[in-house]
Amino acid sequence: MSNNIVVAIDGYSSCGKSTLAKALAKKLHFIYVDSGAMYRAVALYFLRNNIDLENNEQIAEALKNIHLNFHSRDYQSHITLNDEEVSDEIRQMHVADKVSAVAAIHDVRVAMVKQQQRLGKSKNIVMDGRDIGTVVFPNAQVKLFMTADPKIRAERRYKELLPTNPDITLEEIFDNLAHRDYQDTTRKESPLTRAEDAIILDNTDLTQAEQLLFALSHIEPFMA
Ligand code: DC
């Protein structure tokens, strides 16, 4: 059996999972995998190709034509969809509005989980998402479940999106987050839920440095 270390980070939308995951990967020299980016890239492909989310045959065919790759530069995760860099486009609202519905589809999840498990087979990795500690890596050495006050989460995402989306409103973001949380926690397929052995990390009142130290204190025992 391989003895690589897997850190699984799950939690609600815009809780800072990827910020923490990237900081951990940088500090520990682990590989960072943003599983949400994979679902976003699939949603983008479905949007561009007018895939009907009720049509299983169309979905199966589309999944065969989707090739995703990660490129890590400076511990920032870049994703390509059929060799096209889509890291920026997948963060836009038209994708955010669609992604939860796409991520709820059984065949989409089966295809993504398979790829995710392959990525974590032999290397030390930090992966963030919604089902990483429950479905993708139930045996991960460290599982963190992140949460934060919904208002704080919306404000953080607003600041992030405003420079490239000057017309966006805080209300729109708040509603989008609430909608995604609802869809992610109530869907039939792998709903967002805390694994029994996951450590809760509520970062409402924590700085990034503080949350990093908290997470490191749980990982370091496995690195001895
Ligand atoms: O983390 P994110 O906001 O980029 O995720 C985008 C969407 O994908 C989100 O609505 C939930 C879904 N997702 C999922 O269902 N499972 C994962 N492992 C990661 C993301």
Side-chain angles (χ1 to χ4, degrees):
M1 218 185 82
S2 150
N3 54 3
N4 58 304
I5 299 171
V6 175
V7 179
I9 303 181
D10 291 303
Y12 298 98
S13 291
S14 291
C15 266
K17 297 185 297 293
S18 68
T19 303
L20 175 63
K22 278 180 214 163
L24 283 172
K26 187 170 182 180
K27 181 91 189 162
L28 300 169
H29 303 286
F30 281 19
I31 288 176
Y32 165 54
V33 180
D34 174 357
S35 71
M38 299 169 75
Y39 291 98
R40 285 169 180 269
V42 172
L44 176 62
Y45 182 94
F46 282 13
L47 271 170
R48 285 179 176 176
N49 293 281
N50 294 317
I51 303 298
D52 174 3
L53 303 190
E54 305 290 323
N55 186 329
N56 289 339
E57 267 172 40
Q58 252 188 42
I59 289 170
E61 197 51 39
L63 286 170
K64 279 192 221 151
N65 295 324
I66 294 177
H67 302 282
L68 304 177
N69 269 300
F70 280 102
H71 303 276
S72 189
R73 283 200 300 272
D74 305 328
Y75 293 96
Q76 300 294 320
S77 162
H78 295 267
I79 188 163
T80 57
L81 166 61
N82 298 336
D83 295 327
E84 175 193 349
E85 164 83 54
V86 291
S87 310
D88 289 334
E89 192 172 354
I90 59 169
R91 303 278 149 218
Q92 300 301 322
M93 286 308 275
H94 65 292
V95 178
D97 283 340
K98 179 100 174 171
V99 63
S100 286
V102 171
I105 298 169
H106 175 78
D107 286 1
V108 171
R109 300 208 70 84
V110 169
M112 293 305 111
V113 168
K114 210 159 135 192
Q115 289 194 32
Q116 289 153 9
Q117 288 175 334
R118 206 176 317 127
L119 288 165
K121 223 170 179 168
S122 54
K123 299 200 174 98
N124 291 338
I125 65 161
V126 183
M127 190 179 288
D128 72 330
R130 304 293 187 292
D131 60 342
I132 310 306
T134 49
V135 175
V136 183
F137 296 115
N139 297 321
Q141 288 86 342
V142 182
K143 299 181 186 178
L144 297 170
F145 188 84
M146 287 180 70
T147 177
D149 182 307
K151 269 207 214 131
I152 301 277
R153 293 196 270 140
E155 278 164 18
R156 288 177 185 158
R157 183 54 58 109
Y158 178 62
K159 280 192 200 141
E160 207 176 278
L161 288 174
L162 195 59
T164 49
N165 300 266
D167 296 333
I168 209 156
T169 65
L170 184 58
E171 196 187 9
E172 193 183 338
I173 294 183
F174 188 88
D175 290 348
N176 175 266
L177 289 184
H179 177 67
R180 282 204 283 149
D181 284 349
Y182 178 77
Q183 285 207 321
D184 294 342
T185 50
T186 56
R187 69 181 179 218
K188 258 203 341 246
E189 289 283 332
S190 315
L192 167 64
T193 165
R194 182 176 79 86
E196 262 179 31
D197 51 348
I199 301 148
I200 294 178
L201 169 47
D202 181 337
N203 67 12
T204 305
D205 298 312
L206 292 185
T207 64
Q208 290 182 14
E210 286 167 338
Q211 71 172 6
L212 177 62
L213 282 179
F214 176 88
L216 283 171
S217 71
H218 289 279
I219 301 168
E220 273 158 358
F222 294 94
M223 304 210 37

